């Protein structure tokens, strides 16, 4: 949308009383957690796009994958009466902010004008709207059930990409025998939980849904959950001893360099491989976590705008920019994610991106699409954090698998 169209929109919305004032701000201060090399490259695409429309970018980065630290900083700023113009946010956090604070700007004027209702999948709209109004602009769709494998390390381990749990273990064993760290991982709760997403999904879509979305006690504490924790223990045995506290992008770097065999991580990891000049199919390969083919656990980065006494021209320009189809292609090609709109061509995407788009469309149409627990799209932050605690305590050897399943039930019940 051009500056002129934004002004027209503001003018007509003001006539209809849609927003209180039409204060114009020329800069947007954006709070986000995109601080790794690949993420920063994607931020550059957004910044440039906005600058092209005369909207300046004031950077407010808060390091910490998964965004928990960013949410803490955001809360402190809002409480102090110093909300940023816009903030990156995930799933249930958006719902929570909308319900509990009422401070999010209403984006309906721009959403209606641009027809967002028709192009954003319902699974995303579920988080972008509150009381029928658009309160967030989705910039992408990521998914968590991916594995990123060093191509040479896989060739040395037999060359066959694993399609089920048993084949995965065979490849990990072979990598171990070849003297590399089979599983590159960073010991941070959200990273442990990202693997757990995929392990639980690998034991069945119904099980994933029952445990994480319906929060069914039988699923949370039953035999399948004990098996999920057993599998986490097995995976832990392929991680090196220095994993504690390691950032996710440093684990990606191990796979890029070949000291690590594979990483189980959302598709933001692809941004690191691309940023290092690597090519899918040649230097690395991307596969769905073995046993989860056809299923997708998604999360979507969305931008909410803070209502600062009326929507500003810059906020509307940013929302329109984020949703522009050309921008969605350019941004997501770099970020590793796929567009949040259904009408964007996959022509500019690499093979992993094309697969990501096809998988998402297939899962969305066929009922195989589920919100990611680890990335705030299955349950509220209180429940997510309770699950994180149990998964990490178990991964670090505090509980055996049976105790972890019992603790999971207690933690989720207490958090609701
Ligand atoms: C976000 C991604 C981000 C990743 C690691 C996820 O929660 O959706 O955009 O790259 O965390 O920081």
């Amino acid at each position: 949308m051009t500056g002129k169209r934004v002004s027209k929109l503001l003018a007509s919305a003001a006539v209809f009383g849609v927003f209180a004032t039409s204060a114009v701000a020329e800069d947007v201060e954006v709070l986000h957690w995109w601080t790794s090399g690949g993420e920063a490259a994607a931020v550059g695409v957004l910044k440039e796009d906005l600058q092209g429309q005369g909207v300046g970018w004031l950077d407010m980065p808060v390091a910490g994958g998964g965004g928990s630290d960013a949410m803490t900083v955001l809360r402190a700023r809002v409480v102090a009466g110093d909300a940023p113009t816009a903030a990156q946010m995930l799933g249930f956090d958006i719902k929570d902010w909308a319900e509990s604070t009422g401070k999010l700007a209403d984006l309906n004027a721009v959403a209606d004008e641009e027809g967002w209702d028709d192009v954003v999948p319902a699974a995303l709209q579920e988080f972008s709207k509150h009381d029928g109004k658009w309160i967030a602009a989705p910039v992408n769709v990521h998914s968590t059930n991916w594995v990123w494998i060093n191509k040479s390390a896989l060739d040395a381990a037999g060359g066959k990409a694993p399609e089920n749990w048993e084949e995965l273990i065979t490849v990990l064993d072979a990598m171990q025998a070849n003297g590399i760290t089979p599983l590159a991982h960073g010991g941070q709760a959200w990273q442990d939980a990202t693997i757990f997403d995929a392990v639980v999904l690998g034991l069945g879509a119904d099980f994933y849904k029952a445990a994480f979305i319906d929060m069914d006690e039988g699923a949370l504490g039953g035999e399948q959950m004990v098996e999920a924790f057993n599998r986490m223990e097995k995976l832990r045995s392929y991680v090196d001893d220095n994993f504690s506290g390691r950032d996710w992008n440093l684990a990606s770097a191990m796979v890029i360099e070949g000291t690590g065999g594979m990483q189980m991580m959302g598709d933001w990891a692809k941004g690191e491989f691309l940023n290092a000049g690597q090519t899918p199919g040649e230097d690395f390969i991307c596969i769905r976590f073995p046993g989860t083919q056809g299923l997708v656990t998604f999360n979507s980065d969305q931008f909410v705008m803070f209502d600062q006494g009326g929507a500003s021209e810059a906020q509307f320009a940013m929302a329109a920019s984020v949703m522009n189809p050309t921008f969605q292609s350019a941004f997501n090609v770099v970020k590793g994610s796929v567009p949040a709109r259904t009408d964007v061509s996959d022509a500019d995407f690499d093979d992993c991106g094309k697969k990501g788009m096809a998988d998402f469309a297939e899962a969305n149409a066929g009922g195989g699409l589920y919100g990611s627990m680890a990335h705030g799209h299955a349950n509220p932050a209180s429940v997510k954090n309770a699950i994180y605690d149990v998964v990490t305590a178990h991964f670090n050897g505090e509980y055996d698998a049976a105790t972890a399943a019992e603790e999971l039930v207690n933690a989720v019940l207490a958090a609701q």
Side-chain angles (χ1 to χ4, degrees), residues 283-295:
D283 306 303
F284 68 96
I285 65 158
C286 55
I287 60 166
R288 288 292 172 184
F289 188 90
T292 70
Q293 296 88 336
L295 303 170

Side-chain angles (χ1 to χ4, degrees), residues 280-356:
E282 287 175 22
D283 306 303
F284 68 96
I285 65 158
C286 55
I287 60 166
R288 288 292 172 184
F289 188 90
T292 70
Q293 296 88 336
L295 303 170
V296 169
T297 38
F298 80 98
N299 61 299
S300 166
D301 292 305
Q302 310 213 14
F303 283 108
V304 300
M305 309 289 159
F306 282 87
D307 196 336
Q308 294 163 332
S312 77
E313 185 164 344
Q315 285 178 319
F316 275 83
M318 179 172 171
S321 236
V322 157
M323 290 302 291
N324 178 287
T326 309
F327 168 77
Q328 289 243 341
S329 175
F331 177 85
N332 287 305
V333 158
V334 176
K335 183 70 175 65
S337 35
V338 305
R341 310 174 55 113
T342 51
D343 59 348
V344 177
S345 158
D346 71 359
D348 288 343
F349 287 79
D350 59 30
D351 288 351
C352 295
K354 284 187 171 57
K355 177 173 167 49

